[in-house]
Amino acid sequence: MPVEGTGAGGGRASKSAPDAAFNLWLQRGLHAIYDDVAREPVPEELLRLIEQDRSKS
């Protein structure tokens, strides 16, 4: 998960140690909370609604 201000074209050339430590802590925390949810399959009803919407366009 990219964090604002990091990576190519992301802003500041380098981050201070406290910023980098916070970003790492935040990234790990968010992954711990949301990875299981993100791995769940998309419900069939939602997929059906998406397909219906696509066919209208």
Side-chain angles (χ1 to χ4, degrees):
M1 168 194 287
V3 178
E4 184 177 350
T6 62
R12 293 184 277 177
S14 65
K15 302 208 45 96
S16 67
D19 285 345
F22 173 77
N23 288 339
L24 181 60
W25 171 82
L26 181 61
Q27 182 177 0
R28 287 180 179 171
L30 291 173
H31 277 285
I33 294 170
Y34 293 110
D35 277 355
D36 290 339
V37 174
R39 284 189 210 104
E40 291 179 7
V42 178
E44 290 296 321
E45 176 70 9
L46 181 56
L47 292 173
R48 185 180 61 74
L49 290 171
I50 292 169
E51 287 303 319
Q52 282 179 349
D53 185 60
R54 282 184 183 164
S55 66
K56 290 179 184 178
S57 298

